[in-house]
Amino acid sequence: IDVPCGDANWIFDSLETDTLELYIGLDIVKQVVEVTATRLAHHSNKIFRHWDGAKCPLPKIVPGAVVRSVDLVHARDFLQHLKLEQGIQFLCHVFQSGARVFVTTTFPANGSNRKIKEGEFYLNDLTAAPFNLPPKDDITVTCTQTHPRHELDHTCV
């Protein structure tokens, strides 16, 4: 699951993503989802849906009528646009989804989080309160600086 998927342009630069058994793109902007779904309708392994990741639990998949969790939830440049309460709710949905892997972006050098209005932006640090995720030096976490030349964000697994 890729949430938010937006126009999905950036993710299809890799063969690995384009050849997945199933890619589910979710986004809160209905018009973006509709355009992306139409543009990529010829891809039989891609599903796009209007979805509010902060309000709605993440979907399960049903291959061969067996309900199961997705393997990976990817949330690139997302949590830093949510109010803190929404971010916590989204993370609860990720962890309750049963996904084995979670990939997201964070600004670990920031050291704190702040209240914003929905849609605004702040440099979120997912290791700081109220999120308190394991730091990048934890053995369960792997982080890479995403844009080392112009931004302090890290992509963490």
Side-chain angles (χ1 to χ4, degrees):
I1 292 178
D2 184 22
V3 58
C5 65
D7 63 11
N9 275 333
W10 78 272
I11 202 158
F12 294 118
D13 287 342
S14 71
L15 177 63
E16 291 82 6
T17 301
D18 206 31
T19 58
L20 289 171
E21 178 184 341
L22 179 63
Y23 166 93
I24 303 170
L26 308 174
D27 204 293
I28 196 167
V29 182
K30 190 173 187 176
Q31 183 179 5
V32 169
V33 172
E34 290 170 351
V35 169
T36 304
T38 300
R39 185 172 57 85
L40 297 171
H42 62 285
H43 289 250
S44 62
N45 65 334
K46 294 174 182 60
I47 297 170
F48 297 92
R49 295 290 184 265
H50 176 241
W51 203 273
D52 186 336
K55 289 183 181 172
C56 303
L58 296 175
K60 303 281 187 184
I61 57 176
V62 187
V66 176
V67 177
R68 71 173 181 87
S69 302
V70 296
D71 294 321
L72 181 140
V73 174
H74 182 263
R76 177 179 181 248
D77 295 336
F78 177 50
L79 287 157
Q80 62 266 38
H81 292 285
L82 299 178
K83 295 190 298 186
L84 294 177
E85 301 80 22
Q86 292 173 311
I88 291 168
Q89 191 59 50
F90 174 73
L91 289 175
C92 287
H93 289 152
V94 169
F95 299 129
Q96 291 167 353
S97 76
R100 295 182 306 120
V101 179
F102 176 48
V103 179
T104 192
T105 47
T106 184
F107 294 82
N110 187 39
S112 66
N113 295 296
R114 64 182 181 86
K115 292 185 177 190
I116 61 168
K117 294 178 183 172
E118 187 172 354
E120 290 182 342
F121 172 83
Y122 71 103
L123 300 178
N124 67 323
D125 182 348
L126 296 178
T127 65
F131 305 115
N132 301 311
L133 293 183
K136 64 182 182 176
D137 57 354
D138 185 285
I139 61 168
T140 63
V141 178
T142 303
C143 295
T144 302
Q145 193 167 359
T146 313
H147 304 100
R149 292 185 182 167
H150 64 278
E151 209 170 48
L152 298 175
D153 62 328
H154 283 72
T155 298
C156 297
V157 178

